[in-house]
Amino acid sequence: MSSNSSLKGVLCTVIGAICWGFSGACGQFLFQNYSVDQNWLTAVRMIVAGVCICAYMIFKEKQKFFDIWQNKRDSVNLIIFSILGLMLCQYTYITAIKYSNAGTATVLQYIAPVFIMIYVCIRSLRIPTFREFVAIVGAILGTFILATHCDINNLVISSEGLMWGLLSALGMFLYTLIPARIISKYGTMKIIGYGMIIGGLFLGIVTRFWERGVSLDLIGILMVTIISIIGTLVAFSLYLYGVSVVGPVKGSLIASLEPVSAMFFSVVWLKTSFTFIDFVGVVIILTTVLILSKK
């Protein structure tokens, strides 16, 4: 691999992670400045992003794009992933932003690798290694610090924000686990595109999102567009290309820039207040992610 190719891969991975973080901040901006419902925002974001991704994949693959529907097992797996994986992950994350902020919600979501590690240990019928045990303790400690500032009698973020943040980590765990087989068979972008459309339509129909009155000006429409396109299609494309060049280990480490960038935009742009003890909790949680990613 040439140094230029490696540098290009790193840059694409970095920009992809930053795009994810920025889209989270755009979601916080919408909740702060408009009467936007999380059901509406999640459904619209998923449907718009899914249509864009699928249109690109149809142009690229032609008839092969529809192959998954010829296999009943794979089709069922895709539908389960779309609802219990992708839709749940997107909905809980956006709701966590509504009740807290983009930085806190993204950091809490990044506890997901700890859930994955615990699942692997249970499935393998083994106890965690010392490294894995440290990661579990770190995730619990970091979450405790972020939520209470070390005062067990004082919850400094809303209980809804904490609950939805932890649920978003569970959603990310399922989002990672469920589609492994069909992604290896059909490719990531195709599965994400289908998943976005199916999950978005399912949520939209269940919540009847078209009945929710949402009034957006040009800035509001721009924010929704950034969340749907920049935070999904562009971010996934850049990140997946970068990982294909630099490898999954380095790629997963670079992906930790997502919560860092979400906090940066939340503080600098949206003037969200974070204290020193908040950053201590964030650093501890991200350290556990780095430990498990390197593993």
Side-chain angles (χ1 to χ4, degrees):
M1 183 192 303
S2 69
S3 58
N4 288 338
S5 178
S6 178
L7 177 61
K8 184 179 179 181
V10 169
L11 286 175
C12 286
T13 311
V14 167
I15 295 171
I18 291 174
C19 285
W20 276 323
F22 181 61
S23 70
C26 290
Q28 181 182 337
F29 177 87
L30 283 172
F31 288 128
Q32 288 180 351
N33 296 279
Y34 300 89
S35 298
V36 175
D37 178 81
Q38 70 268 27
N39 300 313
W40 181 90
L41 181 58
T42 305
V44 169
R45 182 253 178 101
M46 293 184 70
I47 293 170
V48 172
V51 168
C52 291
I53 294 172
C54 287
Y56 167 74
M57 293 305 298
I58 290 174
F59 175 78
K60 183 179 179 182
E61 295 192 353
K62 305 296 189 295
Q63 290 300 318
K64 288 179 60 179
F65 177 75
F66 303 98
D67 287 354
I68 190 171
W69 300 109
Q70 298 175 10
N71 185 303
K72 183 178 179 180
R73 182 190 177 195
D74 293 347
S75 301
V76 171
N77 194 339
L78 173 61
I79 294 171
I80 292 173
F81 162 67
S82 302
I83 297 171
L84 296 183
L86 193 50
M87 188 274 288
L88 179 64
C89 181
Q90 295 287 324
Y91 178 78
T92 53
Y93 173 61
I94 288 178
T95 306
I97 292 175
K98 178 178 180 178
Y99 287 110
S100 57
N101 57 75
T104 301
T106 310
V107 170
L108 289 174
Q109 188 182 60
Y110 264 66
I111 300 172
V114 177
F115 291 166
I116 295 171
M117 181 269 296
I118 293 173
Y119 166 80
V120 169
C121 289
I122 293 173
R123 186 173 181 178
S124 304
L125 298 177
R126 66 173 179 85
I127 61 173
T129 65
F130 176 75
R131 179 197 293 262
E132 292 166 341
F133 179 75
V134 169
I136 294 174
V137 173
I140 295 172
L141 178 61
T143 304
F144 174 76
I145 291 173
L146 200 60
T148 68
H149 287 183
C150 297
D151 181 356
I152 196 170
N153 297 312
N154 179 39
L155 195 64
V156 296
I157 64 174
S158 69
S159 57
E160 294 91 346
L162 178 61
M163 179 189 73
W164 286 108
L166 293 176
L167 285 175
S168 74
L170 176 62
M172 190 175 183
F173 158 69
L174 295 172
Y175 160 82
T176 305
L177 184 71
I178 294 173
R181 184 180 60 81
I182 55 175
I183 279 180
S184 65
K185 185 174 181 180
Y186 297 99
T188 303
M189 291 298 287
K190 181 189 296 186
I191 299 303
I192 293 296
Y194 271 131
M196 285 284 184
I197 292 179
I198 296 170
L201 288 174
F202 176 84
L203 177 64
I205 292 170
V206 168
T207 62
R208 302 176 68 88
F209 78 108
W210 60 85
E211 295 181 350
R212 302 176 185 275
V214 177
S215 179
L216 298 175
D217 57 16
L218 187 59
I219 298 297
I221 294 172
L222 177 62
M223 292 297 106
V224 174
T225 303
I226 290 174
I227 292 170
S228 303
I229 306 301
I230 304 299
T232 306
L233 177 60
V234 174
F236 267 109
S237 299
L238 289 173
Y239 179 75
L240 291 174
Y241 171 78
V243 169
S244 71
V245 175
V246 303
V249 174
K250 187 179 290 187
S252 61
L253 293 175
I254 296 173
S256 297
L257 285 173
E258 180 188 352
V260 175
S261 66
M263 289 194 71
F264 173 82
F265 291 119
S266 188
V267 171
V268 175
W269 174 29
L270 303 174
K271 309 303 179 185
T272 304
S273 176
F274 286 97
T275 64
F276 174 76
I277 194 69
D278 287 318
F279 288 109
V280 171
V282 170
V283 169
I284 292 174
I285 290 174
L286 292 185
T287 299
T288 68
V289 175
L290 296 178
I291 289 172
L292 294 177
S293 296
K294 195 167 184 179
K295 174 68 171 176

